[in-house]
Amino acid sequence: MSASSHTLAAAVAGARFADIAEQYAPDAVLESYVTGRRETAEGAQAIARAWPGAVGRGEVVRSQRTDLPGAVELDLQRAAASGPVRRVHRFELAGGLVRRHVVYPAKPKEDPVLPEGCPAGVAPGTVRELVHDGLSGANLFRAELETGEPVVIKHIRPADDWMARATADPGREGLLYVEGVYDALPAAIGSAVIGAEAVDDGWVLLMRDLTADRRALLDSADPRSWERMLAAVHEMHEALRGRPPSAALCSVSDRLRLFSPVRPFVEARGSDTLPKMLTTNWECFAEHGPADLVHEVFRLADDPSGLLAALADSAPFTVLHGDFRPQNLALSPAGVTALDWGLACYGPPELEFVWFLSNTAWGEDQERDDLEAAWTRISGTARTSRAADLAVVYHAVMGEISFLLTESRNQVAGFARPAPATARWWLRRLDRALDRLGSLEPRRAELTAGV
């Protein structure tokens, strides 16, 4: 019997493995990350035993199914006795049968309810859910202004957002609007935020709806577009260089620790997807990365003071978007628009480029080599500069190479994943950076509050 997305969805919703047991290959594997660790079961009998814990019980109150070539994704939310429970299921299919079934926890979605009368100008009755792939805890909704213009509403509640907790976020995106940072951006790059209101539990942002522009950008994957994005963010760095750093900005120290090996334990009681995946990422890096690089990265993760002190001395700081990658950008003839400023920070521009590079060029080595060359032309910074090398080490310690290595090995077929060459390129780049940098021994006394 061949597996179909309809029967898979019905069986998962009803928590009935017996209904689809024949649709699993004899050597099928169930992988669950619900507990924050990778737990596997192979074969029908083992999967049947693991099924209740991975799938959960309770009435399904929200569901979304996505069919992909060779894969199916089910996003289900249940009304359980302990409260709402949401899990995302990814099925990898081969020969008409399920070969892998991966289960991720996810933060439950909420009904589109906002503080009364907020934000101003929104037409009553138009607020509705916005399906998105954001990894923080903010809620996004679609709506219309009284003029009929489509907008997106973002309700930021720092206390209920794991990234906000990790980066001491007081409502960063709203405060940057109030402080005029978005208005100070050069013509080549802008923000989608057109309004911000402080509310009892955080902020409500009003943003232009750029869904179509974002989708067109992601579908194109055009390297020429990538260079245009880099040119725009370089203009931003130059325009905001020397601007007094806002207290709302994320420190590079907090950003560095966002995906640290201890984060899963800090967020153990939560249900957000990414913290539950981090232990597996770091374990994969420890197992498959070169031993000397693994040792150095974990040593710096344990005490990054030497790295942070060196970074502070490497290049002039400026305002950084902090999460500058195609998923957070929209491109139009008028320029680049950057969304999601929740990780905006104050640091050297090389941090921005290395993050962009690691989240964009997932193909063969030539893509990454070409983008490094493009950044050198745009910024005037050599790819072997001390600041560039420190930015590579910074992101390795942050967990970016462990993520790329894990995704290239473990991501379900049918979903975007880096080519195997990607992690290998970054490991070579890290090795050369560490060789050139020399010692990054602890220098706690040299750190300043601004770092």
Side-chain angles (χ1 to χ4, degrees):
M1 181 183 296
S2 296
S4 72
S5 59
H6 175 75
T7 55
L8 291 174
V12 173
R16 298 184 303 272
F17 177 65
D19 290 358
I20 55 171
E22 294 182 359
Q23 298 181 24
Y24 279 62
D27 58 348
V29 175
L30 171 65
E31 300 174 30
S32 173
Y33 295 87
V34 170
T35 65
R37 298 295 298 270
R38 181 174 180 261
E39 299 175 336
T40 63
E42 183 173 346
Q45 291 186 347
I47 292 175
R49 290 192 296 270
W51 182 271
V55 171
R57 295 187 179 278
E59 178 188 1
V60 174
V61 294
R62 294 174 183 266
S63 66
Q64 179 182 341
R65 186 181 79 208
T66 305
D67 295 323
L68 298 165
V72 176
E73 181 176 86
L74 303 176
D75 186 337
L76 300 180
Q77 183 163 314
R78 300 178 186 273
S82 59
V85 175
R86 181 177 165 220
R87 290 177 187 167
V88 177
H89 301 257
R90 288 184 173 179
F91 298 89
E92 182 179 315
L93 309 178
L97 298 176
V98 175
R99 299 301 303 270
R100 288 179 70 203
H101 174 185
V102 185
V103 186
Y104 306 97
K107 184 175 181 178
K109 295 182 178 180
E110 300 180 16
D111 293 330
V113 177
L114 293 164
E116 186 174 354
C118 181
V122 172
T126 65
V127 180
R128 57 199 184 278
E129 182 182 339
L130 170 62
V131 177
H132 65 96
D133 57 359
L135 297 174
S136 73
N139 291 319
L140 293 174
F141 309 111
R142 274 206 171 90
E144 294 177 7
L145 298 180
E146 293 172 346
T147 61
E149 179 185 353
V151 291
V152 170
I153 299 172
K154 186 172 187 177
H155 188 188
I156 302 169
R157 295 176 297 182
D160 197 37
D161 183 326
W162 78 271
M163 285 192 180
R165 292 191 296 269
T167 62
D169 184 356
R172 190 166 292 128
E173 292 184 85
L175 289 168
L176 293 177
Y177 174 84
V178 171
E179 293 175 3
V181 174
Y182 302 143
D183 289 337
L185 296 174
I189 188 169
S191 164
V193 180
I194 56 176
E197 298 180 38
V199 294
D200 289 342
D201 58 356
W203 287 80
V204 174
L205 304 184
L206 193 63
M207 303 182 293
R208 289 180 289 136
D209 188 345
L210 301 173
T211 303
D213 288 340
R214 290 184 63 228
R215 185 177 297 116
L217 173 60
L218 294 175
D219 289 345
S220 70
D222 184 355
R224 291 172 298 181
S225 298
W226 299 346
E227 291 193 28
R228 186 177 168 196
M229 296 173 211
L230 290 174
V233 80
H234 172 66
E235 285 193 39
M236 181 189 86
H237 296 155
E238 292 298 305
L240 299 182
R241 194 186 303 278
R243 183 185 178 94
S246 164
L249 292 172
C250 175
S251 70
V252 292
S253 175
D254 282 342
R255 184 175 178 271
L256 177 67
R257 295 178 175 91
L258 183 59
F259 309 125
S260 82
V262 303
R263 187 64 54 200
F265 302 97
V266 175
E267 295 294 333
R269 295 183 179 181
S271 57
D272 293 281
T273 304
L274 196 49
K276 301 294 187 186
M277 303 296 298
L278 293 176
T279 297
T280 296
N281 291 358
W282 286 111
E283 288 176 344
C284 183
F285 178 66
E287 180 179 356
H288 299 288
D292 57 335
L293 297 185
V294 169
H295 171 79
E296 188 64 9
V297 166
F298 277 105
R299 185 187 71 79
L300 290 169
D302 181 57
D303 185 349
S305 58
L307 170 62
L308 292 171
L311 194 71
D313 295 337
S314 67
F317 278 26
T318 185
V319 176
L320 309 181
H321 177 272
D323 196 8
F324 194 79
R325 55 194 174 100
Q327 291 84 349
N328 287 333
L329 302 173
L331 194 60
S332 71
V336 175
T337 303
L339 298 85
D340 197 353
W341 293 71
L343 292 178
C345 61
Y346 196 65
E350 287 73 19
L351 289 184
E352 197 99 273
F353 169 67
V354 170
W355 179 254
F356 180 89
L357 180 63
S358 67
N359 280 273
T360 303
W362 280 13
E364 298 307 313
D365 290 352
Q366 194 62 49
E367 279 187 351
R368 289 174 287 280
D369 293 339
D370 289 348
L371 269 182
E372 276 201 315
W375 179 248
T376 296
R377 290 195 305 272
I378 292 166
S379 68
T381 303
R383 66 178 73 186
T384 58
S385 71
R386 184 169 176 80
D389 284 343
L390 286 166
V392 170
V393 176
Y394 177 99
H395 283 95
V397 175
M398 187 179 179
E400 187 63 9
I401 295 179
S402 71
F403 166 78
L404 294 170
L405 185 62
T406 306
E407 287 291 287
S408 67
R409 296 177 65 89
N410 294 346
Q411 180 58 278
V412 176
F415 293 84
R417 60 178 171 182
T422 305
R424 293 196 296 267
W425 187 94
W426 280 104
L427 288 169
R428 292 194 302 272
R429 183 68 178 84
L430 173 63
D431 189 34
R432 291 194 295 267
L434 288 169
D435 280 347
R436 285 190 290 263
L437 289 170
S439 174
L440 292 173
E441 294 301 317
R443 292 162 59 185
R444 293 179 184 274
E446 297 182 34
L447 293 180
T448 63
V451 178

